[in-house]
């Protein structure tokens, strides 16, 4: 009998290099019934090496889905050597999802930093697909420098349907850059969404999510309508081991997507 920790296999059917350390893997699940919602994650890995929580960076269609993975440590650097045709192991989907279903007619503000755009990409795809269902939509995406931007070729196509601010903290000497410069917080006031009618989804480094949330509240957003995706070290992914416990919450099961107002009740809040 299969336990909740039993992994499935998925074959790599495409690999796209996003940046020097980040790739998007297109995977075909061997579990035909596999499905997931934007914001959920899989525990991805390989026997004998380990597992790491990785969000879905696409929706799931006919067992095909994507993970966008930055090589930072034991598991993710091991996966960097995988080629098309190789198989990875995964279990999931786990965790909560972005509450996109609640938003008929509402404005949406999406703020992402670095590889934090990956879990929000399927939300943007859904919005573009059902564009008339939403009000004004803005994406603010910031990265350290132009060569750290993921999904660069795709971002331009989003501009047809939604407002996009693409910004970097700094431009290296001799690098051409035709977009914005400055922290993502600088663009909160430039977005045309109406705070009284909007939901906000934020994903990136925790310090960035803290300052973005504060900027949104200052602009009139309600804490019950601001959602963040938290990152904590995880082992089991099913709220058994306690590695990701954050006050009374398990980030793997109660999150990773939380309404800001849920987190403020925790002893150490956001950060
Ligand atoms: C819900 C969720 C979704 C995520 N989605 C994505 C995604 O879509 N794409 C993506 O690229 N990443 C994602 N991450 C982040 C990813 O899971 C981490 O980067 C993970 O640690 C990588 O595992 P690893 O074994 O490769 O790295 P590790 O070997 O765990 O090392 C990762 C980093 O943590 C440091 N570190 C190692 N051990 C410890 C320790 N005990 N305490 C503190 N720091 C330590 C290392 O020095 C290194 O800098 C997500 C994380 C979560 C929680």
């Amino acid at each position: 009998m299969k336990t909740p920790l039993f992994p499935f296999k998925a074959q790599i059917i495409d690999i796209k290099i996003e940046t020097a350390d980040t790739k998007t893997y297109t995977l075909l699940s061997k579990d035909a019934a596999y499905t997931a919602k934007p914001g959920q994650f899989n525990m991805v890995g390989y026997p004998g090496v380990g597992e790491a929580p990785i969000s879905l960076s696409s929706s799931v269609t006919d067992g095909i889905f994507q993970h966008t993975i930055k090589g930072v440590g034991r598991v993710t650097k091991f996966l960097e050597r995988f080629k098309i045709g190789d198989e990875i192991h995964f279990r999931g989907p786990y965790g909560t999802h972005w509450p996109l279903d609640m938003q008929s007619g509402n404005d949406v503000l999406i703020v992402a930093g670095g590889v934090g755009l990956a879990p929000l990409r399927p939300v943007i795809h859904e919005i573009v697909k059902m564009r008339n269902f939403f009000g004004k939509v803005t994406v603010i995406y910031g990265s350290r420098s132009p060569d750290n931007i993921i999904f660069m070729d795709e971002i331009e196509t989003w501009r047809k349907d939604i407002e996009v601010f693409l910004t970097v903290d700094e431009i290296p000497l001799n690098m051409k850059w035709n977009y914005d410069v400055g922290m993502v917080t600088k663009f909160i006031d430039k977005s045309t969404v109406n705070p009284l009618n909007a939901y906000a989804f934020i994903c990136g480094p925790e310090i960035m999510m803290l300052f973005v949330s504060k900027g949104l509240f200052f602009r009139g957003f309600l804490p019950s309508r601001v959602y963040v995706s938290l990152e904590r070290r995880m082992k089991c992914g099913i709220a058994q081991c306690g590695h990701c416990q954050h006050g009374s919450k398990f980030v793997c099961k109660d999150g990773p997507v939380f309404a800001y107002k849920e987190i403020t009740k925790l002893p150490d809040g956001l950060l």
Side-chain angles (χ1 to χ4, degrees), residues 22 39-42 49-57 67-78 115 118-119 229-234 251-252 255-256:
T22 306
Q40 290 192 296
F41 67 94
N42 287 320
V49 179
E51 295 176 309
I54 302 290
S55 303
L56 280 100
S57 63
H67 278 311
T68 300
I69 306 180
K70 180 171 176 165
V72 293
R74 188 179 157 86
V75 174
T76 51
K77 279 193 181 294
F78 183 82
V115 81
S229 183
L230 289 190
E231 262 197 29
R232 287 291 180 277
R233 298 191 72 77
M234 290 179 186
V251 174
C252 66

Side-chain angles (χ1 to χ4, degrees), residues 17 27 38 66 75-76 188 200 203 211 217 253 263 267:
I17 295 173
L27 299 156
Q66 292 178 314
V75 174
T76 51
I188 291 173
C203 188
F211 280 105
F217 303 143
K253 183 166 157 281
I263 301 179

Side-chain angles (χ1 to χ4, degrees), residues 37-239:
K37 291 190 169 176
Q40 290 192 296
F41 67 94
N42 287 320
M43 295 300 293
V44 176
Y46 201 76
V49 179
E51 295 176 309
I54 302 290
S55 303
L56 280 100
S57 63
S58 75
S59 54
V60 186
T61 310
D62 299 331
I64 296 174
F65 59 97
Q66 292 178 314
H67 278 311
T68 300
I69 306 180
K70 180 171 176 165
V72 293
R74 188 179 157 86
V75 174
T76 51
K77 279 193 181 294
F78 183 82
L79 295 176
E80 274 182 341
R81 70 185 75 165
F82 279 46
K83 299 186 208 58
I84 292 173
D86 290 344
E87 286 180 337
I88 59 131
H89 292 232
F90 77 99
R91 50 190 181 85
Y94 296 131
T96 52
H97 56 90
W98 303 105
L100 200 58
D101 30 3
M102 283 160 42
Q103 290 158 34
S104 174
N106 286 115
D107 290 0
V108 183
L109 175 64
I110 290 169
V111 188
V115 81
L117 185 58
L120 285 163
R121 180 179 176 237
V123 172
I124 298 167
H125 287 172
E126 285 289 304
I127 290 174
V128 167
K129 206 160 74 188
M130 303 189 299
R131 186 64 193 90
N132 295 335
F133 194 70
F134 301 93
K136 288 183 177 143
V137 180
T138 302
V139 173
I140 306 173
Y141 176 42
S143 187
R144 274 203 317 279
S145 71
D147 43 10
N148 290 118
I149 290 173
I150 57 173
F151 313 133
M152 185 65 191
D153 46 352
E154 207 179 296
I155 291 171
E156 274 313 301
T157 68
W158 298 343
R159 286 185 198 276
K160 280 190 282 168
D161 298 291
I162 54 185
E163 182 178 50
V164 178
F165 295 98
L166 177 58
T167 182
V168 291
D169 297 350
E170 55 184 10
I171 313 165
L173 274 179
N174 303 325
M175 193 177 270
K176 204 165 158 263
W177 179 245
N178 298 323
Y179 305 96
D180 292 302
V181 179
M183 303 284 179
V184 285
T185 40
K186 186 172 143 187
F187 301 90
I188 291 173
D189 284 342
K190 299 193 175 175
S191 159
T192 52
V193 304
N194 174 4
L196 300 177
N197 162 44
Y199 281 79
F201 299 157
I202 317 169
C203 188
E206 222 159 287
I207 185 79
M208 165 252 174
M209 295 198 286
L210 181 70
F211 280 105
V212 170
S213 302
K214 286 186 185 303
L216 295 180
F217 303 143
F218 190 72
R219 220 194 128 189
F221 278 76
L222 299 172
S224 58
R225 288 182 169 205
V226 171
Y227 287 80
V228 297
S229 183
L230 289 190
E231 262 197 29
R232 287 291 180 277
R233 298 191 72 77
M234 290 179 186
K235 277 268 183 236
C236 71
I238 55 169

